Amino acid sequence: KSVADGETEGMTKVLIGKENGEILGVHMMNSTAIDSINEATSFMELEGTIEEMVSMVHPHPATSESVWDAALVAYDTFKRGKK
């Protein structure tokens, strides 16, 4: 959705704990961060894990999809570290 709106600059990064995959923080640098920050803060407040975040349904196309995309990258990194 952001690309369709002409917003091609920005990034989202999910920081997770190495032991259990707990969401420790989320960095968002884009013009639509205000629309998706609530998902990140909810996971942090409830001590949610990266596995829980990637298992949630995220609408497409939507600007909040950047959180899910970043979570998929973090999940892949977490799983590789567990091997």
Side-chain angles (χ1 to χ4, degrees):
K1 175 131 174 58
S2 294
V3 173
D5 290 341
E7 298 288 337
T8 58
E9 300 290 321
M11 57 83 68
T12 302
K13 180 178 183 178
V14 179
L15 307 172
I16 58 173
K18 288 183 179 182
E19 293 300 315
N20 62 0
E22 181 180 342
I23 308 294
L24 302 176
V26 178
H27 297 180
M28 293 181 186
M29 292 178 260
N30 56 56
S31 63
T32 59
I34 193 80
D35 298 330
S36 358
I37 196 69
N38 58 340
E39 178 181 353
T41 57
S42 294
F43 268 99
M44 291 166 48
E45 180 66 26
L46 297 171
E47 298 177 356
T49 67
I50 193 65
E51 290 176 334
E52 294 168 331
M53 185 178 266
V54 298
S55 70
M56 285 185 56
V57 174
H58 288 78
H60 172 78
T63 55
S64 63
E65 206 172 0
S66 70
V67 175
W68 188 62
D69 290 340
L72 288 174
V73 171
Y75 180 72
D76 183 54
T77 302
F78 176 68
K79 283 301 186 186
R80 278 188 279 127
K82 288 289 187 183
K83 292 182 180 178

